[in-house]
């Protein structure tokens, strides 16, 4: 025979459920905010790399100079995992020609054969600079953060 639930027991269960839901909601919101902040920083880093190349190219670079400076800049940003390509219209001038991008400036997440990446396009002086960096590290950190949040919710 079961005893009827007491008011104290019902309040305790409701409080525990409320705390667990609040912890889960906090974990989800903090994960989403962290992801947005991380992507904003990634976009800033990619734009900076593209704008550095634009500044080095000057107002009217020859195709040969553009190719040389793009390859040189790629060597400088490679340790950060960034790859650049430079385009005049539909023609690649330098860098990795497989890194194409839209004709409009902006940043977006894209899928390549090697995995997900963040891509930013900068337009200047009739040129299009495409800067790309893999999201593998970002995705791994996000998964680890989500797992830690779920563990914290479970403990709570």
């Amino acid at each position: 025979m079961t005893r009827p639930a007491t008011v104290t027991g019902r309040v305790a269960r409701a409080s525990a459920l409320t705390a667990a839901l609040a912890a889960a909601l906090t974990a989800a919101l903090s994960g989403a905010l962290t992801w947005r902040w991380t992507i904003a920083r990634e976009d800033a880093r990619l734009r900076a790399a593209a704008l550095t190349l634009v500044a080095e190219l000057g107002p009217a670079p020859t195709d040969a100079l553009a190719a040389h400076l793009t390859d040189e800049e790629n060597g400088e940003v490679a340790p950060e995992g960034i790859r650049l390509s430079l385009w005049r219209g539909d023609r690649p001038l330098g860098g990795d020609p497989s890194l194409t991008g839209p004709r409009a400036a902006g940043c977006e997440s894209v899928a390549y054969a090697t995995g997900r990446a963040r891509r930013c396009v900068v337009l200047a002086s009739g040129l299009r600079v495409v800067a790309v960096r893999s999201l593998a590290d970002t995705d791994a950190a996000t998964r680890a953060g989500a797992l830690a949040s779920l563990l914290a919710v479970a403990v709570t």
Side-chain angles (χ1 to χ4, degrees):
M1 179 172 216
T2 60
R3 292 186 307 175
T6 65
V7 172
T8 305
R10 287 193 300 254
V11 169
R13 281 190 294 282
S15 296
L17 181 60
T18 301
L21 288 174
L25 181 59
T26 301
L29 286 175
S30 64
L33 289 173
T34 300
W35 175 253
R36 297 288 296 163
W37 178 76
T38 302
I39 290 299
R41 286 186 49 113
E42 197 67 42
D43 291 352
R45 187 174 5 176
L46 290 170
R47 277 193 205 99
L51 290 171
T52 298
L53 176 58
V54 167
E56 290 180 5
L57 290 170
T62 65
D63 288 358
L65 177 63
H68 172 73
L69 290 176
T70 303
D71 292 339
E72 192 175 88
E73 191 63 27
N74 261 322
E76 292 177 18
V77 297
E80 298 177 51
I82 297 173
R83 297 180 300 147
L84 300 169
S85 67
L86 180 66
W87 297 78
R88 187 184 312 271
D90 291 330
R91 194 181 59 190
L93 296 180
D96 185 347
S98 71
L99 302 178
T100 61
R103 294 195 180 277
C107 299
E108 62 187 343
S109 295
V110 294
Y112 286 103
T114 56
R116 284 177 12 94
R118 193 70 182 166
R119 173 177 67 196
C120 290
V121 175
V122 172
L123 305 175
S125 303
L127 300 173
R128 185 173 77 235
V129 181
V130 180
V132 175
R133 185 170 185 276
S134 170
L135 286 175
D137 294 342
T138 304
D139 288 344
T142 301
R143 281 191 299 276
L147 183 59
S149 294
L150 287 174
L151 182 59
V153 168
V155 169
T156 300

